[in-house]
Amino acid sequence: MADIKIGIVIPAHNEAMTISDCLASVQTAIEQLPSNISAYPLVVLDDCTDDTLALVENAGVDYIECDYHCVGKVRDLGIRHAIKKGATWIACTDADSIVTPDWLMEQVTHIKQQPTDMICGVVDVDNWAHLTSQTREAYIAHYQDMMGHRHIHGANLSFRDEAYLAVGGFAPLPCHEDVDLVKKFENQGYAITWSNHVRVITSSRLEARANEGFAAFLANLEKSNL
């Protein structure tokens, strides 16, 4: 990938409480890139009825709108839009997450050191204060924060444009669309890098947007420890 053009795709459904911090962190990550690598964020607004749109406009970030209520369809819409605009590498995160300043640079480093078709990164939980200590301990015991981990997060998943299109993209699934996409890459023999250098800080909220997403996972973990 001689010329890397990064499209950063962020789905959002009523994320007025978190979208500004997310976009600010993405801008900081973009500013760390060398001048020969371009990157631009794209928010996909999925039936937002709060102030998310106004906040995205205030941040000067490009956006498109839809009414899918299906994260797989929302991600796919944004990614195909970004590819049509020239993106050769897609970086996905979520509107309730904050990417680290070196989030994009670490991806570029992986791409240049050992060509890869996909990078699965890791997440840090932003706040444990409202959760029991048992939940935190159980989570830490489960989570493999290391190179070669096997965790999959839609909030920290990136890949090459041509590979994405070749496997058919995100399926129209309301949850686990990220797991499904990784399985497609694996089944078709694409190279996947499982990296703990590519990091995102994600929300520890328990009110799930997806029935079986990360918030639901934490909520179920908390429930089992009460």
Side-chain angles (χ1 to χ4, degrees):
M1 295 179 68
D3 296 320
I4 304 172
K5 298 179 180 179
I6 305 174
I8 304 159
V9 178
I10 309 164
H13 171 64
N14 290 344
E15 297 286 6
M17 296 294 292
T18 59
I19 189 69
S20 295
D21 288 342
C22 172
L23 295 179
S25 73
V26 167
Q27 182 57 40
T28 298
I30 291 172
E31 291 169 357
Q32 313 308 309
L33 293 169
S35 58
N36 65 322
I37 297 177
S38 62
Y40 66 92
L42 173 71
V43 178
V44 188
L45 299 161
D46 184 21
D47 189 30
C48 291
T49 57
D50 63 357
D51 292 332
T52 303
L53 169 57
L55 293 168
V56 172
E57 288 180 323
N58 185 60
V61 172
D62 193 15
Y63 66 89
I64 55 177
E65 297 181 87
C66 63
D67 185 11
Y68 289 156
H69 294 266
C70 174
V71 68
K73 291 180 69 175
V74 175
R75 289 194 198 277
D76 185 65
L77 177 68
I79 290 162
R80 292 180 186 274
H81 183 85
I83 291 173
K84 285 181 181 178
K85 290 189 67 173
T88 59
W89 183 260
I90 301 297
C92 297
T93 192
D94 286 343
D96 66 345
S97 300
I98 296 173
V99 305
T100 59
D102 62 356
W103 182 60
L104 295 173
M105 271 306 306
E106 288 291 350
Q107 294 177 46
V108 171
T109 298
H110 280 305
I111 294 168
K112 291 186 173 181
Q113 286 182 344
Q114 185 173 353
T116 189
D117 299 303
M118 172 180 274
I119 300 172
C120 295
V122 296
V123 299
D124 292 315
V125 175
D126 66 348
N127 180 18
W128 292 102
H130 59 292
L131 299 169
T132 65
S133 59
Q134 292 93 332
T135 293
R136 180 178 183 178
E137 290 166 6
Y139 177 85
I140 293 172
H142 158 78
Y143 204 82
Q144 297 179 326
D145 190 342
M146 64 181 72
M147 291 297 294
H149 69 86
R150 300 292 290 186
H151 300 296
I152 299 171
H153 304 285
N156 195 2
L157 188 63
S158 55
F159 37 80
R160 191 165 55 87
D161 65 321
E162 292 178 354
Y164 179 82
L165 296 175
V167 304
F170 278 112
L173 298 172
C175 58
H176 301 317
E177 80 292 343
D178 45 4
V179 175
D180 178 78
L181 183 68
V182 173
K183 188 177 297 183
K184 289 178 181 177
F185 270 65
E186 288 180 323
N187 289 343
Q188 297 196 30
Y190 285 106
I192 300 177
T193 301
W194 302 83
S195 173
N196 72 334
H197 294 173
V198 180
R199 310 186 71 88
V200 162
I201 302 163
T202 199
S203 171
S204 60
R205 67 184 179 191
L206 303 181
E207 301 78 27
R209 291 290 192 272
N211 289 336
E212 298 178 41
F214 189 75
F217 170 75
L218 280 183
N220 289 334
L221 201 60
E222 179 76 352
K223 185 177 180 181
S224 69
N225 283 301
L226 291 177

